[in-house]
Amino acid sequence: MGAEQLTPGPLREPDGDARAAAELAARASYGRLLATLAAGTGDLLLAEDALADAFEQALRRWPEDGVPASPEGWLLTVARNRQRDEWKSARHRLNATLEGIEVPVMDAADGGFPDQRLSLLLTCAHPAIAEDIRTPLMLQTVLGFEAAQIGEAFAVPAATMAQRLVRAKRRIRDARFPFELPGPEHLASRLPSVLEAVYGCLSIPALIGAENSDEALPATRPMVAEGLYLAEVVAGSLGDDAEAWSLAALAAFLASRPTGPAYVPLEEQDTGAWNPTLIRRAGEYLRKASALTAGAGGSGTPGRFQLEAAIQAVHADRARTGRTEWTVLATLYAALMLLAPTLGAQVAEAAVIRRTDGPLAALRRLDRLSAGHPRECERFQPYAVVRADALRGAGHPEAAAECLEHALRLTRDDAVRDYLRAQLDAVRR
């Protein structure tokens, strides 16, 4: 993410205000700035270098000159000047000409410039880009994830993922893909990758934990907010895609639950702290998606994101009724298993079975899952946590303690680690 890239080896230590302003601009605007810079040339690598140079100059100059009124506009101007210098250099004169390169219109004075992120997302989903790198490419260029984070999420070594990302960016540059919204005839084939990238924005920080954050809280909340914004941009731009609105609903439900310094499981959270405005917004999006699914031209069958949003809607309804409808959740998870039986979804289903059919039924489900995916389950922290809960409920505290100890070894989030230690102490008492 841009914030991690703000280590330029400055001549002097930047003061706190300047660094905070630069980090805020990086977290809030990295993807928007990068998309704008790349839109004119189609060269993502050059846009990344230019933006990194702009952040470096910000850290050097802002402590002395003061933070500009429009940090985004300042960064955009500096980065754009770096791009122009590069294009005028001998190296580029030997390889390409400036003719035909469209320069985007930017009003850097007030920070107002067109948001090109949707165009960039759809460009990264171009059919000429290898299918398995499209979503990782979007996660890095538009959402600011590091190659190591993406590699961990996709079970690929960081160096390998970095090489694949660079090759994809060179492919976009060399092929001169247009940074524009494709016609309706091309949207259907590109949309799944775009939705997967936005979904990754909602889920990857939870997998990574807080190790890359200097703050007391994990970086889940800003990414959920960013995911909600992008999901709404995509859904609003497409208008009548049920899965896009479902993803927006899912993001709004997740964003409605504020995080604090301590980790609290969903079913133990105080519903009074949830944001009712976001819950209503999520409900509106989900109803819109359901109407599109059932209406003329719809499939009549809910998609993966619609089912996941419906699951979150059931949890959100506890704020109104005071109880969780576990049998409804079991039905929704059974439907989700037919469409997207991911490891995370199967473990979550086992946690629901623990509530509906008891701990022994949950253990049987977890045993079957482990038999089919032993290595994945061994590395998956939620599997160990759910298994510990089932073992504890079945009257096996020592085995539950072993699972919690294993879960602790897999946990990087300090708040979650504190919670698991408390659970371990309770099991041992």
Side-chain angles (χ1 to χ4, degrees):
M1 175 95 183
E4 280 72 41
Q5 296 168 350
L6 299 180
T7 310
L11 297 177
R12 49 162 292 183
E13 186 69 23
D15 68 15
D17 290 343
R19 186 174 186 89
E23 289 185 347
L24 179 61
R27 291 181 189 280
S29 308
Y30 180 80
R32 201 158 72 100
L33 289 164
L34 186 67
T36 301
L37 289 163
T41 64
D43 191 339
L44 277 168
L45 292 168
L46 176 58
E48 286 178 339
D49 288 344
L51 192 53
D53 182 68
F55 278 118
E56 178 180 342
Q57 291 198 43
L59 290 177
R60 292 172 183 268
R61 293 169 55 179
W62 289 3
E64 294 183 359
D65 300 343
V67 177
S70 171
E72 281 187 351
W74 190 97
L75 290 164
L76 191 60
T77 298
V78 173
R80 188 56 189 153
N81 289 338
R82 163 70 190 281
Q83 278 185 312
R84 288 197 179 95
D85 291 343
E86 181 68 18
W87 275 100
K88 291 175 182 175
S89 70
R91 182 167 63 87
H92 265 103
R93 284 201 301 273
L94 291 173
N95 293 289
T97 67
L98 286 169
E99 285 80 16
I101 300 299
E102 182 181 350
V103 178
V105 176
M106 300 176 289
D107 183 359
D110 62 2
F113 50 89
D115 192 338
Q116 303 274 9
R117 279 178 294 185
L118 182 58
S119 298
L120 180 53
L121 284 168
L122 290 164
T123 299
C124 292
H126 193 284
I129 300 295
E131 186 173 354
D132 63 350
I133 200 64
R134 294 175 194 165
T135 297
L137 186 60
M138 286 180 254
L139 288 170
Q140 186 178 68
T141 57
V142 181
L143 303 172
F145 287 97
E146 296 288 346
Q149 290 176 293
I150 301 168
E152 184 169 343
F154 285 81
V156 173
T160 302
M161 179 58 72
Q163 291 171 354
R164 292 179 182 175
L165 289 167
V166 168
R167 283 199 296 268
K169 292 169 191 174
R170 286 175 179 159
R171 173 75 175 138
I172 290 175
R173 179 194 62 194
D174 297 343
R176 298 281 185 91
F177 294 156
F179 277 56
E180 59 189 20
L181 295 179
E185 69 277 15
H186 299 301
L187 276 177
S189 63
R190 301 192 192 186
L191 187 59
S193 296
V194 172
L195 295 182
E196 283 295 332
V198 177
Y199 182 75
C201 188
L202 303 175
S203 57
I204 286 181
L207 296 176
I208 300 303
E211 67 169 356
N212 293 320
S213 173
D214 293 329
E215 301 173 355
L217 298 177
T220 53
R221 187 53 42 188
M223 296 311 293
V224 171
E226 183 74 357
L228 172 59
Y229 174 79
L230 287 172
E232 290 177 330
V233 167
V234 172
S237 300
L238 300 178
D240 60 354
D241 188 274
E243 279 294 83
W245 285 110
S246 298
L247 186 57
L250 176 61
F253 278 126
L254 296 177
S256 72
R257 300 162 193 157
T259 57
Y263 170 75
V264 182
L266 176 58
E267 62 185 283
E268 297 176 19
Q269 291 181 14
D270 175 12
T271 60
W274 293 353
N275 186 317
T277 300
L278 282 173
I279 291 176
R280 283 195 296 274
R281 202 155 111 196
E284 291 171 5
Y285 293 161
L286 186 54
R287 284 190 291 276
K288 185 178 181 69
S290 299
L292 288 167
T293 299
S299 65
T301 304
R304 170 194 174 184
F305 295 131
Q306 194 169 342
L307 289 170
E308 292 206 28
I311 287 169
Q312 295 305 320
V314 172
H315 285 297
D317 206 38
R318 182 163 64 86
R320 181 180 62 85
T321 66
R323 65 179 185 277
T324 299
E325 297 292 348
W326 294 104
T327 55
V328 177
L329 285 176
T331 301
L332 290 169
Y333 270 110
L336 183 61
M337 291 306 106
L338 299 176
L339 293 179
T342 63
L343 181 60
Q346 293 187 74
V347 170
E349 184 191 32
V352 172
I353 290 173
R354 159 82 169 86
R355 296 288 183 174
T356 56
D357 301 334
L360 293 178
L363 285 171
R364 287 193 292 272
R365 179 59 60 91
L366 291 169
D367 286 342
R368 287 201 298 272
L369 183 56
S370 179
H373 308 278
R375 297 180 65 181
E376 292 86 347
C377 290
E378 181 71 14
R379 295 194 298 261
F380 196 48
Q381 185 258 26
Y383 177 89
V385 174
V386 172
R387 187 172 186 84
D389 181 61
L391 286 167
R392 187 179 182 183
H396 303 293
E398 292 183 0
E402 290 179 5
C403 281
L404 287 169
E405 289 169 349
H406 183 61
L408 273 166
R409 290 193 291 272
L410 296 173
T411 302
R412 302 178 184 179
D413 187 319
D414 288 339
V416 175
R417 190 179 291 116
D418 291 343
Y419 171 81
L420 292 177
R421 283 199 187 99
Q423 293 294 304
L424 183 58
D425 291 341
V427 169
R428 286 171 170 168
R429 279 198 291 268

